[in-house]
Amino acid sequence: MKEKKYDLYFENSVKVKSLNDDYFKCYQEIEKCLFKKRKDVLKTNILLSEILDQMKSFQDQGKTVQQVMTKGSQVFVDQIDRKINYKEKINQLKQRDSNKYEMSGILLTMCIYCASFC
């Protein structure tokens, strides 16, 4: 059976690749549950980003998944979810996207200017 793909942001997909096998398996279960429960893709990806950062940090410290998820993955996710300021994170993403849009306009203008001299 084909595995369902979720609307995972590129930055999160890059973070997922840095996880070892145990953390990756745990992450897959968390991702599946979150995308089933939550309808807001943006907030889900913000939460997943924070979860991935925590997992990567624990992995770098040499902690196993069992040591981190002693009370279960739902408790782990809930603790992270309570700490997130979604408004601030959304504003950061908007600012980052605005900066990328501005840079693409500058590059496009430069390309057109250079092409007019060739």
Side-chain angles (χ1 to χ4, degrees):
M1 188 161 85
K2 190 174 181 181
E3 187 177 315
K4 182 177 179 180
K5 296 290 180 186
Y6 301 107
D7 293 327
L8 188 65
Y9 289 179
F10 177 76
E11 292 84 4
N12 288 343
S13 64
V14 171
K15 290 178 183 181
V16 169
K17 293 176 184 176
S18 68
L19 297 176
N20 65 27
D21 289 340
D22 290 337
Y23 276 100
F24 179 73
K25 288 175 188 173
C26 180
Y27 169 78
Q28 282 183 314
E29 293 301 317
I30 291 171
E31 178 188 64
K32 191 186 319 179
C33 291
L34 287 178
F35 276 112
K36 283 182 183 177
K37 290 180 182 178
R38 295 172 169 249
K39 300 301 178 201
D40 188 344
V41 175
L42 176 61
K43 287 184 178 181
T44 303
N45 272 283
I46 290 171
L47 177 57
L48 286 173
S49 177
E50 294 295 320
I51 289 168
L52 286 164
D53 289 342
Q54 287 288 324
M55 287 181 151
K56 179 70 174 134
S57 173
F58 289 132
Q59 179 180 299
D60 291 345
Q61 293 172 14
K63 294 184 178 180
T64 65
V65 174
Q66 292 77 18
Q67 290 173 320
V68 174
M69 307 287 174
T70 55
K71 297 180 182 177
S73 60
Q74 187 60 47
V75 174
F76 176 73
V77 171
D78 289 342
Q79 287 174 344
I80 295 172
D81 190 26
R82 276 186 247 124
K83 294 177 184 176
I84 297 174
N85 182 347
Y86 285 101
K87 279 188 172 185
E88 181 182 319
K89 294 286 185 181
I90 290 170
N91 287 335
Q92 288 174 355
L93 289 172
K94 284 180 184 178
Q95 183 63 42
R96 188 196 68 196
D97 289 348
S98 176
N99 291 343
K100 285 181 180 180
Y101 182 73
E102 185 178 310
M103 283 303 297
S104 67
I106 292 169
L107 290 173
L108 179 62
T109 303
M110 287 174 48
C111 289
I112 292 170
Y113 180 75
C114 292
S116 65
F117 287 108
C118 292

